């Protein structure tokens, strides 16, 4: 197109020149050509100057407009600059989104250049490695790190595995850091807070150790009795009877433990349960009857305040949780003591309460009572048939009912286990 137009313009000039030459003579024709050439040169010089001027500040808004051939040139420049601007905007948008995503990452990311100087880092890495985003840019990372293990890791240059960093202040924290080389010279230093993960692993390990220990003791006892009985003369029926009775008790203990473990596992799996309208008055009476059965007349068990109320929840789970609190009250209250149950509606919530005049609990134990296998007095718990899992089960069930357990206790005087249910669960 450009060439066609050029040929057309100059052919037209030639034709007109020939026409003038034919009419007025060759000198006039040549004069015309010279004038057109001079004007054409001037035109091109002016437009070249405008192009040169624009190139100093090549913005889309400044692209000059032109005439004739130059119109085509400037239009093409305009279209090219416009498409470049759009591509640049798209690229900048993508980069911005990448940066925002990297900033929002819970894991720390530090980009290091070939000499281990910080090129970029995200807020999480600053928090993990105590870096300052403004002051530390461009600094060599090994000069800034407070953790010797990480410094050594970076110096040794073996990045096939992560390094674990344990921090004790201001809070106990465990970090995992790993270097990932990229771009042949640069490196990414990634850091992750694995405190929670480690805690879960420790709890899991302790749990397995506790379960094994709890099962091993009764199994050893049963095994020991069986061994004795094998060598026992058949005539010794009385001893055999005693041994069988003791073995039965140990198997009962194992059975209780396995049942509690299954209950806990079911609760932890978080399976949804059917919610229903629970008749609290009837449940309270059932709890009292069961407590009397467990106490065998050794305690004075009564129901104090009993506001008429119904609750939305799972009856079996509520029975299991509140029953656990009542059975603990009976088990940890010496004979002659009293246990009072109550159900009270207040403005903000409804409260179940189980108060005893038992052995009580020292304040330092209170925060840990709902941990699995935590007991204040292991021997006493075992002698009264405890598995150490009761309150852990209670806590799970209450969580599922958005309820909260409140414990007040005084050693030697007694304890009160209250449960606060949200008002939204109460039916008037
Ligand atoms: P356990 O099977 O040992 O009773 P729980 O989880 O039910 O396990 O309770 C944990 C510990 O809390 C018990 O071992 C006991 O030391 C203490 N405890 C629970 N309830 C009472 C209570 N009413 N009075 C005194 N101590 C209690």
């Amino acid at each position: 197109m450009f060439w066609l137009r050029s040929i057309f313009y100059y052919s037209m000039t030639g034709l007109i020149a020939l026409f003038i030459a034919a009419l007025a003579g060759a000198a006039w024709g040549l004069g015309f050509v010279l004038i057109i050439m001079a004007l054409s040169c001037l035109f091109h010089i002016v437009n070249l100057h405008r192009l040169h001027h624009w190139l100093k500040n090549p913005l889309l808004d400044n692209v000059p407009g032109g005439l004739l051939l130059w119109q085509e040139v400037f239009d093409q420049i305009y279209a090219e600059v416009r498409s470049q601007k759009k591509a640049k905007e798209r690229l900048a948008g993508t980069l911005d989104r990448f940066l925002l995503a990297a900033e929002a990452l819970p894991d720390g990311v530090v980009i290091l250049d070939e000499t281990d100087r910080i090129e970029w880092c995200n807020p999480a890495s600053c928090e993990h490695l105590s870096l300052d985003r403004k002051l530390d840019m461009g600094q060599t990372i090994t000069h800034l790190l407070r953790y010797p293990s990480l410094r050594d890791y970076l110096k040794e240059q073996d990045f096939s595995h992560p390094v674990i960093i344990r921090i004790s202040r201001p809070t106990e924290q465990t970090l995992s850091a790993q270097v990932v080389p990229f771009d042949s010279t640069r490196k990414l230093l990634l850091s992750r807070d694995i405190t929670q993960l480690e805690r879960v692993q420790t709890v899991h390990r302790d749990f397995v150790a506790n379960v094994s220990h709890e099962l091993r003791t009764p199994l050893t006892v049963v095994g020991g009795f069986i061994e004795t009985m094998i060598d026992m003369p058949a005539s010794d029926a009385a001893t055999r009877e005693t041994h069988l009775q003791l073995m039965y008790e140990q198997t009962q203990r194992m059975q209780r433990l396995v049942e509690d473990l299954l209950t806990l596992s079911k609760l932890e799996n978080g399976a949804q349960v059917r919610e229903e309208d629970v008749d609290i008055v009837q449940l309270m009476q059932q709890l009292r009857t069961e407590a009397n059965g467990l106490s065998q007349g050794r305690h004075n068990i009564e129901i104090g305040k009993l506001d008429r109320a119904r609750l939305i929840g799972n009856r079996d789970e509520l029975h299991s949780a509140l029953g656990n609190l009542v059975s603990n009250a009976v088990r940890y209250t010496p004979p002659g003591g009293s246990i009072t149950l109550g159900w009270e509606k207040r403005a903000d919530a409804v409260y179940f309460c189980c108060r005893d005049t038992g052995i009580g609990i020292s304040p330092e134990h209170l925060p840990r009572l709902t941990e699995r296998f935590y007991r204040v007095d292991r021997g006493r718990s075992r002698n009264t048939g405890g598995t150490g899992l009761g309150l852990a089960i209670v806590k799970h069930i209450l969580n599922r009912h958005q309820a909260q357990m409140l414990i007040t206790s005084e050693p030697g005087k007694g304890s009160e286990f209250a449960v606060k249910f949200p008002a939204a669960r109460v039916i008037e």
Side-chain angles (χ1 to χ4, degrees):
M1 193 65 190
F2 182 84
W3 286 112
L4 279 179
R5 280 173 111 183
S6 310
I7 291 166
F8 173 75
Y9 291 143
Y10 289 106
S11 313
M12 283 305 290
T13 309
L15 279 176
I16 294 170
L18 285 176
F19 185 65
I20 292 173
L23 281 183
W28 282 100
L30 193 64
F32 175 77
V33 170
L34 285 175
I35 290 169
I36 291 297
M37 286 301 173
L39 285 176
S40 171
C41 268
L42 188 68
F43 175 67
H44 288 316
I45 288 169
V46 168
N47 280 297
L48 270 174
H49 171 74
R50 291 171 72 206
L51 178 61
H52 179 249
H53 181 71
W54 176 78
L55 282 172
K56 287 183 191 158
N57 185 22
L59 297 177
L60 184 66
D61 302 341
N62 304 342
V63 177
L67 288 172
L68 305 173
L69 292 173
W70 283 94
Q71 182 186 1
E72 212 167 300
V73 172
F74 287 138
D75 281 356
Q76 235 165 25
I77 290 177
Y78 184 83
E80 186 58 30
V81 173
R82 210 168 94 128
S83 95
Q84 269 184 21
K85 190 179 171 198
K86 279 206 175 137
K88 220 159 126 181
E89 277 169 4
R90 263 201 309 274
L91 205 67
T94 313
L95 197 68
D96 277 352
R97 278 197 298 281
F98 261 110
L99 275 178
L100 283 177
E103 299 252 335
L105 274 179
D107 291 350
V109 182
V110 183
I111 299 178
L112 302 172
D113 68 10
E114 60 273 26
T115 53
D116 282 350
R117 285 175 199 274
I118 301 175
E119 278 190 346
W120 182 86
C121 59
N122 72 345
S125 70
C126 294
E127 200 183 303
H128 291 162
L129 308 172
S130 308
L131 298 174
D132 186 309
R133 274 190 107 180
K134 281 194 189 121
L135 296 179
D136 296 341
M137 281 299 155
Q139 303 282 337
T140 308
I141 191 148
T142 40
H143 296 166
L144 302 170
L145 293 173
R146 290 192 302 166
Y147 316 121
S149 53
L150 184 54
R151 270 202 306 267
D152 295 346
Y153 174 76
L154 281 165
K155 278 182 192 153
E156 278 162 23
Q157 305 268 319
D158 175 11
F159 304 134
S160 56
H161 58 89
V163 59
I164 303 296
I165 308 159
R166 293 186 204 286
I167 305 163
S168 51
R169 270 175 298 160
T171 50
E172 293 221 342
Q173 201 183 12
T174 311
L175 296 177
S176 159
Q178 183 154 23
V179 167
V180 181
F182 75 107
D183 184 19
S184 73
T185 52
R186 286 185 171 74
K187 294 183 202 98
L188 274 181
L189 171 60
L190 306 174
S191 57
R192 171 172 288 182
D193 186 344
I194 55 163
T195 317
Q196 197 55 27
L197 187 74
E198 272 218 328
R199 215 167 277 158
V200 170
Q201 281 171 348
T202 311
V203 168
H204 182 73
R205 257 199 312 272
D206 289 355
F207 181 66
V208 173
N210 271 321
V211 171
S212 318
H213 178 77
E214 293 290 331
L215 283 173
R216 197 181 55 192
T217 317
L219 268 176
T220 314
V221 175
V222 171
F225 280 131
I226 292 175
E227 222 175 285
T228 324
M229 284 169 71
I230 290 170
D231 302 330
M232 197 181 277
S235 55
D236 198 350
T239 319
R240 186 178 289 268
E241 177 87 357
T242 322
H243 283 11
L244 281 174
Q245 180 59 34
L246 290 169
M247 279 159 68
Y248 175 70
E249 280 167 20
Q250 293 303 321
T251 51
Q252 288 286 94
R253 190 174 141 195
M254 285 191 275
Q255 195 168 339
R256 273 196 306 274
L257 180 66
V258 171
E259 270 163 17
D260 277 359
L261 284 170
L262 284 174
T263 308
L264 252 186
S265 132
K266 236 191 294 174
L267 289 168
E268 280 177 349
N269 283 341
Q272 277 296 312
V273 285
R274 192 168 47 91
E275 298 223 321
E276 58 210 317
D277 170 358
V278 182
D279 182 344
I280 293 298
V281 174
Q282 195 244 330
L283 178 63
M284 293 290 281
Q285 272 150 5
Q286 186 183 356
L287 289 175
R288 184 184 178 207
T289 310
E290 286 166 359
N292 272 324
L294 196 65
S295 159
Q296 299 279 325
R298 287 170 296 147
H299 305 91
N300 172 34
I301 301 167
E302 48 189 52
I303 297 180
K305 202 168 169 55
L306 182 56
D307 287 339
R308 305 227 144 245
R310 304 179 82 87
L311 193 82
I312 299 287
N314 183 274
R315 193 185 187 285
D316 291 345
E317 287 196 355
L318 288 173
H319 175 225
S320 159
L322 305 184
N324 239 306
L325 298 180
V326 178
S327 106
N328 277 354
V330 174
R331 288 167 44 232
Y332 296 108
T333 300
S338 38
I339 290 147
T340 315
L341 310 182
W343 185 263
E344 195 181 334
K345 258 199 292 182
R346 294 191 208 150
D348 60 330
V350 60
Y351 291 80
F352 165 81
C353 164
C354 173
R355 197 175 310 121
D356 65 56
T357 57
I359 57 171
I361 309 159
S362 301
E364 71 270 20
H365 297 293
L366 294 181
R368 299 195 59 191
L369 287 187
T370 55
E371 283 176 23
R372 294 178 291 190
F373 295 114
Y374 188 84
R375 290 127 154 171
V376 176
D377 179 343
R378 193 166 279 270
R380 182 168 190 133
S381 156
R382 207 164 280 157
N383 291 341
T384 57
T387 60
L389 295 173
L391 290 182
I393 293 174
V394 172
K395 187 182 155 193
H396 266 288
I397 295 177
L398 297 188
N399 277 347
R400 282 153 79 97
H401 288 80
Q402 296 80 44
Q404 208 186 339
M405 183 158 64
L406 312 155
I407 313 170
T408 39
S409 187
E410 205 178 318
K413 292 226 165 129
S415 317
E416 182 185 280
F417 283 73
V419 179
K420 180 183 175 188
F421 291 96
R425 286 201 166 266
V426 181
I427 307 173
E428 293 300 329

